[in-house]
Amino acid sequence: MSISTMSCFSFSILLVITSQALLFIPLAYSNIIGHSTLTCRSYCGNLTIDYPFAIQSGCGHPGFRDLLFCINDILMFHITSGSYRVLDIDYAYQSLTLHDPHMSNCDTIVLGGRGNGFVVEPWRAPYLNPVADNVFMLIECSPESPLFEGFPGKHLPCGNVSGMGCEEYYECPAWEIIGPNRVGPVYGSGPPECCSVSFEAMEDVNLTKLGCQGYSSAYSLAPLRVSGPDGWSYGIRVKYSVQGNEAFCKACEATGGSCGFDTDGNSDLCMCGRWNSTTNCDSVHSASNRIRWTLMDALAGYLICLIIWRNLLRLQ
């Protein structure tokens, strides 16, 4: 190999090494932030898992981390008060429908204080709360319950919520065995067997703290109104809201990425398959294109160097 060829070859090798270094940068960055070759799972059984929710670490919105778990294709929702099965996620209305296996309904009264109720961690409170028309009907609560403080003569928080309450709930077949103590809104003889409250009135529904043996929960799908408790929708309807940079997530998804966050610093990340980006997947593609052009430039530089050198030799 001539000196000229060696020089051109050395020059091209230098360009290749530089381009390979550029190639290493996004790969190293991906490994540092801990999401190399990560794709967020988008389903569990027949339920779609979409932003802000996720069932993998680093996916979704940080306010909903460690909230959903997929167990044998069953989606479970876990908070301080316990675990619930997710029956539905309505992304259009930003709500979840939850089922507690120890919750009473129109056919069965479950006692023994085994129900979860609903208590959310304080830091999650801005993100999750039962909807305003979700009624909690607390069953067989102790006379010493905080519900009845100031009793007798006090107007208790028990009341009707969106056309649903204990007076209607007493009509269910399940109450035929218990035989409810039906009393008015001001109690002089003793607490009622059932006290219906909204979540806003209680801030949390903790059966142990409230001294209750059981509970039921129902919600209304306005503007639909049903005539009796046998037609109510039983379960816990939870409203969720996203606190954060929604524009970032929309830009990420628009370029084919999955919204996530850095598990160490909770900063927003756009997961683009092999790489992560702090903006969107187009920025990753642009970097890849620049790397490919650098390799092509190295080859072109080698050929141009040879052509120039040979032309100089002919002039001598």
Side-chain angles (χ1 to χ4, degrees):
M1 184 179 292
S2 66
I3 296 177
S4 60
T5 305
M6 285 293 293
S7 300
C8 291
F9 181 76
S10 299
F11 176 71
S12 63
I13 288 296
L14 178 61
L15 290 177
V16 170
I17 291 174
T18 303
S19 66
Q20 290 299 315
L22 291 174
L23 178 62
F24 175 77
I25 289 173
L27 292 176
Y29 176 71
S30 176
N31 290 327
I32 288 171
I33 58 181
H35 290 295
S36 58
T37 65
L38 174 63
T39 302
C40 296
R41 185 174 173 182
S42 59
Y43 66 91
C44 178
N46 62 346
L47 294 179
T48 299
I49 310 299
D50 203 353
Y51 187 84
F53 302 108
I55 51 178
Q56 289 173 260
S57 178
C59 296
H61 188 283
F64 300 91
R65 65 182 181 273
D66 301 326
L67 183 70
L68 298 182
F69 299 88
C70 189
I71 304 173
N72 295 327
D73 283 337
I74 295 175
L75 190 62
M76 300 299 295
F77 174 100
H78 184 77
I79 54 174
T80 295
S81 51
S83 294
Y84 311 74
R85 181 171 181 172
V86 180
L87 302 180
D88 179 65
I89 303 178
D90 191 328
Y91 293 98
Y93 291 94
Q94 295 190 320
S95 63
L96 303 95
T97 303
L98 308 178
H99 171 69
D100 178 358
H102 301 299
M103 186 180 70
S104 302
N105 53 38
C106 203
D107 298 318
T108 306
I109 300 293
V110 180
L111 301 177
R114 294 178 294 167
N116 289 325
F118 194 88
V119 182
V120 69
E121 298 92 329
W123 71 270
R124 286 199 201 272
Y127 306 100
L128 293 166
N129 274 301
V131 297
D133 57 3
N134 200 122
V135 57
F136 289 90
M137 291 163 286
L138 306 171
I139 302 170
E140 287 199 0
C141 301
S142 166
E144 288 76 32
S145 169
L147 289 168
F148 310 129
E149 289 181 1
F151 170 83
K154 179 186 176 183
H155 286 270
L156 302 182
C158 312
N160 191 289
V161 180
S162 297
M164 299 177 293
C166 287
E167 291 303 315
E168 294 80 13
Y169 188 47
Y170 286 145
E171 299 173 7
C172 285
W175 283 99
E176 295 177 1
I177 299 175
I178 296 180
N181 176 23
R182 305 188 185 195
V183 294
V186 179
Y187 307 100
S189 59
E193 291 292 322
C194 176
C195 178
S196 52
V197 298
S198 66
F199 187 77
E200 292 178 347
M202 302 305 300
E203 295 185 354
D204 60 42
V205 179
N206 186 320
L207 298 190
T208 301
K209 288 184 178 180
L210 294 174
C212 303
Q213 289 298 305
Y215 83 109
S216 184
S217 175
Y219 56 91
S220 173
L221 294 177
L224 178 65
R225 291 287 185 269
V226 293
S227 58
D230 57 334
W232 289 353
S233 297
Y234 288 90
I236 304 174
R237 188 84 165 174
V238 178
K239 184 73 174 176
Y240 70 84
S241 62
V242 178
Q243 309 286 324
N245 190 357
E246 292 185 72
F248 172 87
C249 185
K250 289 179 180 178
C252 172
E253 291 182 337
T255 57
S258 297
C259 303
F261 59 94
D262 180 356
T263 55
D264 294 327
N266 289 343
S267 58
D268 292 325
L269 289 180
C270 183
M271 284 170 275
C272 308
R274 189 172 182 181
W275 297 311
N276 296 329
S277 172
T278 55
T279 54
N280 56 62
C281 292
D282 278 350
S283 63
V284 173
H285 293 156
S286 297
S288 299
N289 289 335
R290 286 195 297 271
I291 290 167
R292 284 194 293 271
W293 278 110
T294 302
L295 290 169
M296 293 175 66
D297 289 344
L299 178 58
Y302 173 72
L303 294 175
I304 292 171
C305 181
L306 285 178
I307 292 171
I308 293 174
W309 188 266
R310 288 179 180 177
N311 288 335
L312 288 174
L313 291 176
R314 288 173 185 168
L315 294 175
Q316 291 178 357

